[in-house]
Amino acid sequence: MRDMGRSWPRWLGLLSLATLVWWGVSALDPDAQRVERVAAASLARASLGALSEHAGGHGPLEVGALDLRWSPACETGGADVLARAVREVPGAPGRLVVDCGRDHGHIRMALTLEGLGDGAPWLHAADTPVPTGVSLLPAILVVLVALFFRNVLTALFAAIVLGALLAEDLAIGPALERAATSYLWDSATDPFSLYIFGFTLALVGAVHVSIAMGGMQGVVDRLRRMARGVRSTQLATALMGLAVFFDDYANAVVVGSSARPLTDGQRISREKLAWIVDSTAAPVAGLAVISTWIGVEIQLFEQQLPYLGGQATSGYDLFLQVLPYRFYCLFALALVFIVVLTGRDFGPMLEAERRARGGRVAPVEARGLSGRRLSETAAKPGARPRAVNALAPILLVLVGTFAAFITIGAGRLEADGRVLSLLSPADLGDAFIAVGDDNVAVLFWAAVAGSVLSIALALVQRLLTLREALVAWLHGARTMLVAVAILILASGIRKVTEDLGAASFMVALMGDVEAWTLPVVTFLVAAAVAFSTGTSWGTMGILLPVAIPLAAAVTAEQGGAPIVLLLVAASVLDGAIFGDHCSVISDTTVMSSTACHCDHVAHVRTQIPYALLAMVAAAGAGYLLAPQLGGGLAVLGCHAAGLAAMLLFVRVRGRIARAEASPAATPAAGGVPASKAAAAREP
């Protein structure tokens, strides 16, 4: 009864807001012809994508005869799509029949390809409902449940059940079967997804074995030698964050706990330490080409390839193309070094730094906050901190992955008659792209090799017993189980949005929105979702299945530049991280404040102004300016403008912290007595 008494306001608020949302989406009434046209175009892209895969070609399919039988909505929606995929060439073999029309609230399309090869005619049939505002309800439900109950897993699962009910016209039996099989089981057992799950678990397991045998401590100790003053200590801490690039959880725990004694000695506030740790955790892991994040990002990107019109050949290819447009992550990292090197702070952080220079590195009222994953793995007492024990497994994963990509990709290109030069960056890039879907298998086996080497190093040097090494590995893998569950449910949400035609309805609803505004709008929406739910990965899983199809359709309808698609993909990832940085319920935010022994609310309050500065620079110089300038070298101008704006702001508004008059520092207040504090020889 006590728990129910506490939770009933949440339920009342959720039901009230859900009722209001239901009424709102039911009232949405975009132009009916536009809805049908957009739905037909979406169905045409999917159907002709299946045709292209069957034909095995990379360019338009050439046929001798093209027989079109479609309704006006299909013709206006699918003509441009068909023109890019099929070319009628008199005298060429083959005949393609396209039959498309509306039937009982659905757009149906059937393709028949005859006269190619020696086999029977190739047949393909598909349909999509003519979407209504109800198609938006599952995605909205995710946000509402996560907002009120702070549980993204429950939110995703509830949205899948609702989506299944809507897809089956509220028939409970068929809906439960669809949810269990099509949306959950198929997502969990897909071979591509299984490789991603295995890669993530194996890499995190290897990292935790390295932590347990003292290898990560050895890496941190080497960076510590740089720390001789306030500026160099902060710089060393930032470099630690760059060094631990493969996992944001490991980054927060290892860097925060290892650097804290060092920053305390230099009278650097715990808030400043927590900001540096938090700003070099998710942004670094999200950008690194080998990390626990890349598996998530690749899988989510892979699912969106049909909407990209051949702009990317694999999830890894799209990840590499998007990297230059990850403005928030890049600017957040750059801001750390701008603030550290200039020695200037602003806002609540300046107050915290002034307090710390006076001897109190933490506020008197600091409460602390325990994180769930902080006690999972710790270095074994007496383990010798050798950096090679952490670096060797990671280098094996990096070098092994790189070598395998080059070998496999080059072999496939050479099989097509192309000779590659290993000294040519363009050829190496083509080899990476040619690996295709096998990239996840390479990542998985490289991570397995890293885990094996990590355990072997611990056993050979007698730093850990086999049982201790396996326990550390399992502890690390266990921290990723929630992430795996999010991936499975996010894949199910993608299928829900496809079945209900949510993206088509949003395109029809926002048909008059300028394509160049989509990146910044998407960034702000992703930030709001991440702020409310406290999860970056959950936000990515929620929004990418909607944002990329929406951007693809809008740019196709308005003739927008292809760069908009890349910017929208980047804005979802970066908006999720920005919202995570500002959220008090974010895992990485909690872990950063806890590892640094910093009051959690103080950490969020001092970090938000810095995150907002990086966000404004990213939105203005990146997501708004880049669509106007186009891709290529113009993106360098966007980066230069954003960096210049942040540097100017820090120089004008920032101040160098000086010691404020304060009571004598006490250990209870997190103080560092002046007699024992190392004298800071740098500002």
Side-chain angles (χ1 to χ4, degrees), residues 28 30 34-43 45-46 105-107 127-139 162-164 166-168 178 183 307 492-510 545-547 549-550 553:
L28 295 174
R34 175 180 287 169
V35 173
E36 289 191 24
R37 185 171 69 250
V38 173
S42 176
L43 182 61
R45 279 193 297 271
H106 284 66
I107 302 291
D127 70 275
T128 184
V130 177
T132 64
V134 175
S135 64
L136 303 178
L137 288 178
L162 175 61
L166 294 176
E168 295 292 346
R178 178 189 285 253
Y183 295 155
Y307 301 102
I493 286 292
R494 175 187 62 84
K495 295 179 180 179
V496 166
T497 59
E498 286 183 354
D499 289 350
L500 298 179
S504 297
F505 183 81
M506 291 178 66
V507 171
L509 190 65
M510 302 172 62
V546 176
L550 172 63

Side-chain angles (χ1 to χ4, degrees), residues 76-91:
T76 56
D80 291 341
V81 178
L82 180 70
R84 291 193 297 267
V86 181
R87 181 180 302 153
E88 187 174 15
V89 179

Side-chain angles (χ1 to χ4, degrees), residues 208 211 248-257 260 277 368-379 475 478-479 587-598 600:
H208 280 253
I211 294 173
D248 57 330
Y249 292 158
N251 185 307
V253 176
V254 173
V255 178
S257 58
R260 188 180 65 251
V277 168
L369 187 63
S370 297
R372 292 175 298 172
R373 298 182 175 89
L374 297 182
S375 61
E376 291 288 347
T377 302
H475 278 169
R478 188 174 63 183
T479 65
D587 271 357
T588 51
T589 305
V590 171
M591 294 173 70
S592 297
S593 58
T594 307
C596 299
H597 287 194
C598 174
H600 183 57

